[in-house]
Amino acid sequence: MKIAFVGKGGSGKTTLSSLVARHLAGRGRTVLALDADINQHLGVALGLDESAAAAIPALGDHLEEIKEHLRGENPRIPAAREMVKTTPPGTGSRLLAVAGPSPLHDRLSVEVGGVRLMVTGAFTEEDLGVACYHSKVGAVELLLNHLVDGPGEYVVVDMTAGADSFASGLFTRFDRTFLVAEPTRKGVAVYEQYRGYAADHDIPISVIGNKIHDDRDLAFLRDRVGDDLLVHLGQSAAVRAMEQGQPAGSVALEPANTAALDRICAAVDDTARDWDRLHRQMIEFHVKNARSWANNTVGIDLTRQIDPGFRLDLQVGITVTA
């Protein structure tokens, strides 16, 4: 399962991403976490100190290396420069397994608390005024297009805040999207915006209420989001201790909040993967990007990269080599 966490900035989506990732890992599942937020906090939320988190190689800084690896011997992609963020895999492409082995895992990920973590990377001084953050997030989209996850494997992605994810096709790459919402008008506004955009693309969304103080908060969310509200979490001394620098797991999570994580994970496991949607939208967004900007940028017709006989679902169960 590929899972996205979205929501208003400050809603707690990074915290929820880390809690769910560690909860799954604690149950013996294989978890790959990707920090695709412009504010790179997932590493710290998972338990790294700030210096260790900052030392993780940024995917956005190794984009050419990623492209060179993933294109493999695909004859439709003779050079890495011809790959863009939406490029789909084809015969000869080198796919990525959740747990490896892979040189990309070896060089661009770290293990923390049983979770393998990759990070997009923060904006740098060189990026200011000349680069868009989607140029960095494109590395995540490219990886997800080439990533094969099998039974018992989970990919948890902490997305950019608000509806910014819709600036690329990245929002279509997931089996389940969780929108973290505070019981406020601003929190609900992001939900309404995201829900409206996603409806046209058959994106399944569930709302996780966060920072719920009392029944009034809960009633507010239920009134605004209806049946999309899956579960809610209350204020947590354990999360606060973690955010104050105590080691992850040093303070036990409250039973009610643990039960909420159980329900979130159960909802993920109850989700049926729609291979047809995932494949169709990968191709649709590649064609859209090729015709709107990428063909002119690269100088060739990138729609020719589409391999009509290739689908990722036919690769599940096949050993992915380094």
Side-chain angles (χ1 to χ4, degrees):
M1 288 279 109
K2 296 183 178 74
I3 314 161
F5 284 86
V6 300
K8 181 180 73 67
S11 63
K13 64 180 181 59
T14 298
T15 298
L16 263 297
S17 300
S18 68
L19 289 175
V20 169
R22 289 196 287 116
H23 197 67
L24 287 166
R27 294 164 62 179
R29 310 299 176 85
T30 301
V31 182
L32 171 64
L34 296 169
D35 193 344
D37 193 357
I38 191 170
N39 299 306
Q40 297 277 281
H41 297 314
L42 185 57
V44 173
L46 284 169
L48 295 175
D49 61 37
E50 284 78 1
S51 60
I56 303 173
L59 298 176
D61 294 340
H62 294 81
L63 189 54
E64 292 307 307
E65 176 185 345
I66 292 170
K67 290 178 178 181
E68 190 64 50
H69 177 83
L70 294 178
R71 75 180 183 90
E73 298 179 357
N74 186 340
R76 296 174 182 270
I77 311 172
R81 63 170 296 274
E82 296 181 8
M83 293 185 79
V84 294
K85 62 184 180 180
T86 55
T87 297
T91 303
S93 293
R94 190 178 285 116
L95 304 178
L96 181 68
V98 171
S102 169
L104 297 186
H105 283 311
D106 293 342
R107 293 195 288 269
L108 303 177
S109 74
V110 298
E111 191 277 333
V112 49
V115 175
R116 184 159 293 281
L117 172 65
M118 289 180 159
V119 303
T120 302
F123 247 24
T124 65
E125 187 69 26
E126 290 75 18
D127 296 322
L128 297 179
V130 297
C132 169
Y133 190 65
H134 300 107
S135 63
K136 295 180 178 291
V137 176
V140 174
E141 187 170 356
L142 197 57
L143 285 176
L144 290 179
N145 278 356
H146 291 75
L147 192 145
V148 178
D149 52 316
E153 296 181 332
Y154 299 79
V155 182
V156 177
V157 182
D158 181 18
M159 298 279 278
T160 53
D164 199 44
S165 303
F166 289 95
S168 73
L170 183 58
F171 75 98
T172 67
R173 299 297 83 214
F174 304 100
D175 300 292
R176 192 73 178 250
T177 296
F178 293 105
L179 189 142
V180 182
E182 299 173 89
T184 64
R185 288 184 295 175
K186 288 183 179 180
V188 170
V190 170
Y191 156 76
E192 292 172 343
Q193 186 180 28
Y194 210 104
R195 189 76 176 85
Y197 289 147
D200 293 335
H201 299 279
D202 300 321
I203 306 300
I205 292 179
S206 296
V207 174
I208 301 174
N210 195 31
K211 305 178 185 179
I212 304 298
H213 288 273
D214 50 33
D215 290 343
R216 182 177 177 180
D217 283 348
L218 189 56
F220 176 89
L221 271 184
R222 282 177 172 158
D223 181 59
R224 301 312 196 276
V225 308
D227 292 339
D228 281 345
L229 182 61
L230 172 69
V231 71
H232 69 276
L233 288 86
Q235 295 294 308
S236 172
V239 171
R240 178 56 59 86
M242 181 180 66
E243 291 176 342
Q244 292 174 343
Q246 295 189 39
S250 61
V251 179
L253 194 66
E254 298 77 10
N257 288 333
T258 299
L261 295 182
D262 285 335
R263 189 171 178 190
I264 293 168
C265 294
V268 172
D269 289 338
D270 288 342
T271 301
R273 168 164 286 173
D274 187 344
W275 281 113
D276 289 337
R277 174 184 70 81
L278 291 169
H279 180 76
R280 181 184 73 252
Q281 291 175 340
M282 177 169 58
I283 300 305
E284 285 178 355
F285 274 88
H286 183 59
V287 171
K288 183 176 182 179
N289 277 265
R291 292 175 176 170
S292 64
W293 65 270
N295 285 350
N296 288 337
T297 299
V298 179
I300 62 171
D301 181 6
L302 295 180
T303 64
R304 295 178 181 175
Q305 295 175 338
I306 298 169
D307 184 342
F310 187 92
R311 284 175 56 114
L312 273 180
D313 49 323
L314 301 180
Q315 312 306 311
V316 175
I318 296 176
T319 301
V320 179
T321 62

